Amino acid sequence: MFVKPKIKDLPDGSLMVEVTLNHDREFLNWVYQYGPNAEILEPKSYRKTMKEQLQAWMNIYNG
């Protein structure tokens, strides 16, 4: 799925993972498994897609 992953330990104990993707949807599905323990920093379009998906889920489960 990923090409040339780069993993960096950060001072606060978190990890920075940088990847080159072959498929956008596979990446987002991979991130979903980590729930709120993961944050998409870039690209902004992926953050937007994640936010839209989370809002759709909120509409379902809060409705």
Side-chain angles (χ1 to χ4, degrees), residues 26-44:
E26 287 181 17
F27 171 72
L28 292 172
N29 287 337
W30 177 75
V31 172
Y32 292 150
Q33 72 181 322
Y34 296 100
N37 292 314
E39 178 183 2
I40 298 171
L41 301 176
E42 292 182 28
K44 298 294 184 190

Side-chain angles (χ1 to χ4, degrees), residues 27-63:
F27 171 72
L28 292 172
N29 287 337
W30 177 75
V31 172
Y32 292 150
Q33 72 181 322
Y34 296 100
N37 292 314
E39 178 183 2
I40 298 171
L41 301 176
E42 292 182 28
K44 298 294 184 190
S45 62
Y46 282 26
R47 286 181 66 90
K48 182 177 184 277
T49 299
M50 177 65 83
K51 183 177 179 180
E52 290 168 354
Q53 181 63 60
L54 292 172
Q55 186 59 52
W57 288 346
M58 290 292 294
N59 292 340
I60 290 169
Y61 292 108
N62 281 334

Side-chain angles (χ1 to χ4, degrees), residues 1-4 19-27 46:
M1 174 167 69
F2 304 130
V3 179
K4 301 178 187 175
V19 295
T20 300
L21 305 173
N22 291 324
H23 301 285
D24 297 352
R25 178 49 56 197
E26 287 181 17
F27 171 72
Y46 282 26

